[in-house]
């Protein structure tokens, strides 16, 4: 097959894949060149160090007292021991070269995979701008971004009516949104956190009105995955005068909408605690041992479309799947696939923690899948749920579902765009690209437009 063969990968993709294979081979040859004993020592010591660090981390988060202190010591001592062993055996140059080559191999492989799996983004539709937009703004959100960026004044200059929340009063923002609809609003928007976004988005979806996201929250995960500007939330207001619409999915848990995630188990139990807001790290470390070892909280069972997950310590359900099992550091490539992402965790001892550290999503203690519906059960009558970061309790069983294309999101026509996702590593696919075999079609299923 020639490089010009249209059924094969593009030339640039192939060369990135070939470079990844070459770097991986050179990393292996670097170890072989050190001799069987030296090469094996570099490999075994490195893997053992990673496993011991993971085990130490497990003891830190799952125990109190002396065991936690031993874990802290191991987390520090394991990397130091690796360096000392390499230095004493005069293997550190070999280890550094091998690590650098392997890192280059992974980087080139991801570049090849990302290029081969060209992004098929969410389809935008040009629609007339709103005549009576209503924006709900939380002045405390994101450390005061509403005032710092002059969002009220800029929105009003663009013809929007702004409802400013009183930080000292607990306000039902969904009720405010419904009142705005009754008064003739033809667009609803929010400058606030993702939890507030979700409650107003649900009202917008009920009335098939466009919804405007203003990235004035702390993390702005939803805004990031929509490709909005998170550094300057005032840029989101450009959608009022020069915008387009995306049809995205909306997740539901126990009948309540969420735009990002619904978390069950360990994390949800921790955020329920009153002290969590004031001292997150300290309260988490204090609570984790009892939660992880089963002395507090409840374990969970979950039934997806095709799989049953049993005795999970933590369960994360997302509105469309994240690019990796760690949503805090990941993003969703699309929000219109019509499925939930599901991540289940069950780690009961240090050996299983090491397995997760070494094997990632392939570890027995980590389940990563997608489903249109997830039913979460427990022996308890009510369980803790963190919905877009907000602490709730719900009666069991709790049903999570997704409503495809339920939400019309109005976004600026010109926006930064979401950062590219890091594709899962599939060396078999990298080899296929390197040797001129067509890449698998990674394009996600796309719903047909319903004409709305």
């Amino acid at each position: 097959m020639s490089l010009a063969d249209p059924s094969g990968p593009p030339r640039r993709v192939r060369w990135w894949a070939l470079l990844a294979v070459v770097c991986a081979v050179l990393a292996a040859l670097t170890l072989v060149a050190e001799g069987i004993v030296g090469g094996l020592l570099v490999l075994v010591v490195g893997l053992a160090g990673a496993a011991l660090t993971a085990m130490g981390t497990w003891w830190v988060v799952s125990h109190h007292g002396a065991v936690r202190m031993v874990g802290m010591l191991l987390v520090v001592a394991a990397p130091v021991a690796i360096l000392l062993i390499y230095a004493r055996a005069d293997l550190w140059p070999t280890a550094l070269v091998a690590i650098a080559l392997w890192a280059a191999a992974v980087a080139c492989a991801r570049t090849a995979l990302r290029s081969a799996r060209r992004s098929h983004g969410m389809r935008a539709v040009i629609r007339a701008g709103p005549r009576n937009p209503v924006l709900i703004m939380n002045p405390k959100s994101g450390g005061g971004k509403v005032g710092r960026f002059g969002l009220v004044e800029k929105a009003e200059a663009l013809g929007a009516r702004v409802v400013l929340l009183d930080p000292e009063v607990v306000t039902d923002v969904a009720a405010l949104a419904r009142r705005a609809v009754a008064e003739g609003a033809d667009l609803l928007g929010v400058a606030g956190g993702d939890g507030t976004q979700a409650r107003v988005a649900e009202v917008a979806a009920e009335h098939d009105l466009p919804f405007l996201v203003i990235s004035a929250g702390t993390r702005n995960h939803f805004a990031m995955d929509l490709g909005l500007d998170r550094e300057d939330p005032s840029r989101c207001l450009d959608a009022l005068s020069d915008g387009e619409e995306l049809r995205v999915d909306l997740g539901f848990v126990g009948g309540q909408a969420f735009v990002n995630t619904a978390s069950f188990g360990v994390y949800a139990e921790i955020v329920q605690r009153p002290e969590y807001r004031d001292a997150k790290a300290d309260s988490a470390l204090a609570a984790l041992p009892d939660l992880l070892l089963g002395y507090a909280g409840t374990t969970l069972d979950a039934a997806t479309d095709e799989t049953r997950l049993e005795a999970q310590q933590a369960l994360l359900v997302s509105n469309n799947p994240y690019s990796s099992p760690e949503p805090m550091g990941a993003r969703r490539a699309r929000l219109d696939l019509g499925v939930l992402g599901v991540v289940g965790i069950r780690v009961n001892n240090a050996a299983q923690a090491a397995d997760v550290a070494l094997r990632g999503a392939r570890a027995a203690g980590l389940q990563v899948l997608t489903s249109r519906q997830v039913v979460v059960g427990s022996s308890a009558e009510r369980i803790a749920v963190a919905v877009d970061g907000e602490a709730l309790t719900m009666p069991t069983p709790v049903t999570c579902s997704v409503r495809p294309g339920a939400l019309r999101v109005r976004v600026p026509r010109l926006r930064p765009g979401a950062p590219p996702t890091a594709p899962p590593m599939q060396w078999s696919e990298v080899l296929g690209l390197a040797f001129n075999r067509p890449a698998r079609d990674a394009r996600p299923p796309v719903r047909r437009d319903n004409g709305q």
Side-chain angles (χ1 to χ4, degrees):
M1 181 181 294
S2 70
L3 285 174
D5 190 331
S7 66
R11 183 190 296 268
R12 182 171 63 89
V13 173
R14 187 188 180 200
W15 283 115
W16 277 115
L18 280 171
L19 186 58
V21 173
V22 169
C23 289
V25 171
L26 288 176
L29 290 177
T30 300
L31 297 179
V32 172
E34 190 63 47
I36 296 177
V37 175
L40 281 176
L41 185 61
V42 170
L43 186 61
V44 170
V45 168
L47 291 176
L52 289 172
T53 302
M55 293 169 67
T57 303
W58 168 258
W59 287 331
V60 169
V61 300
S62 64
H63 289 79
H64 295 289
V67 176
R68 174 172 286 178
M69 295 300 297
V70 171
M72 290 180 178
L73 180 62
L74 191 56
V75 168
V76 174
V80 173
I82 293 173
L83 296 177
L84 290 176
I85 292 172
Y86 285 163
R88 190 171 184 83
D90 199 25
L91 292 172
W92 64 267
T94 299
L96 287 178
V97 171
I99 290 171
L101 285 169
W102 182 252
V106 171
C108 292
R110 290 196 183 280
T111 301
L113 291 172
R114 189 181 291 116
S115 300
R117 305 172 186 174
R118 285 197 177 92
S119 174
H120 300 269
M122 296 178 284
R123 187 167 66 88
V125 177
I126 301 295
R127 295 191 185 275
R131 295 184 178 181
N132 187 24
V134 175
L135 307 180
I136 298 171
M137 297 190 182
N138 182 352
K140 289 189 67 176
S141 188
K145 288 183 180 179
V146 168
R148 193 158 69 248
F149 288 91
L151 298 182
V152 174
E153 296 78 10
K154 291 177 181 178
E156 290 177 340
L158 290 168
R161 179 165 69 90
V162 176
V163 178
L164 200 61
L165 300 179
D166 183 348
E168 304 301 323
V169 178
V170 177
T171 305
D172 185 345
V173 292
L176 285 180
R178 289 190 174 90
R179 187 181 311 146
V181 173
E183 294 171 352
D186 60 356
L187 176 143
L188 296 174
V190 173
D194 288 327
T196 306
Q197 299 273 3
R199 288 194 289 274
V200 179
E202 183 175 3
V203 177
E206 286 175 5
H207 296 275
D208 196 33
L209 293 178
F211 177 64
L212 178 63
V213 176
I214 304 171
S215 56
T218 302
R219 296 186 178 91
N220 299 300
H221 283 182
F222 191 46
M224 176 179 69
D225 294 340
L226 289 168
L228 300 176
D229 192 330
R230 295 193 298 165
E231 301 301 320
D232 183 0
S234 67
R235 293 283 306 277
C236 300
L237 294 171
D238 293 345
L240 293 173
S241 56
D242 185 19
E244 57 190 13
E245 284 188 16
L246 304 173
R247 274 278 181 182
V248 306
D249 306 334
L250 199 55
F252 284 83
V253 53
Q256 177 169 322
F258 65 94
V259 294
N260 293 326
T261 59
S263 299
F264 303 82
V266 171
Y267 172 71
E269 295 277 359
I270 289 174
V271 299
Q272 297 283 331
R273 301 183 177 225
E275 64 271 21
Y276 176 74
R277 296 297 175 187
D278 297 324
K280 294 184 178 181
D282 290 343
S283 60
L285 277 175
L288 276 170
D290 288 341
L291 292 171
L292 290 173
L293 297 180
Y295 305 131
T298 58
T299 56
L300 308 164
D301 296 325
T304 69
D305 293 344
E306 299 178 353
T307 306
R308 182 170 180 81
L309 308 179
E310 296 183 348
Q312 301 295 295
Q313 293 162 317
L315 190 71
L316 184 137
V317 180
S318 59
N319 175 25
N320 284 261
Y322 281 86
S323 58
S324 80
E326 300 85 20
M328 289 300 291
R331 58 168 291 266
R332 294 162 289 181
R334 295 184 63 149
L335 293 167
D336 62 347
L337 301 181
V339 293
L340 299 168
V342 184
V343 179
I345 302 171
R346 184 177 65 182
V347 177
N348 297 313
N349 52 54
Q352 291 177 354
D355 185 40
V356 171
L358 295 176
R359 299 178 61 212
R362 295 184 295 275
L366 195 60
Q367 300 286 334
V368 183
L369 51 116
T370 60
S371 180
R372 293 185 182 276
Q373 179 175 283
V374 181
V375 180
V376 182
S378 170
S379 59
E381 292 184 0
R382 298 183 68 88
I383 56 174
V385 189
V387 182
D388 284 334
E390 297 194 2
L392 302 172
T393 61
M394 293 185 176
T396 56
V398 180
T399 298
C400 303
S401 60
V402 62
R403 295 184 190 172
L407 186 62
R408 297 166 55 190
V409 181
R410 188 169 180 87
V411 295
R413 188 173 55 83
L414 299 177
R415 53 192 183 276
T421 59
M425 281 299 302
Q426 297 286 347
W427 278 104
S428 59
E429 189 176 349
V430 175
L431 289 171
L433 293 172
F435 296 104
N436 214 34
R437 293 199 299 271
R440 68 176 175 82
D441 185 6
R443 178 169 49 192
V446 181
R447 295 187 311 274
R448 295 187 179 276
D449 184 28
N450 58 13
Q452 293 179 314

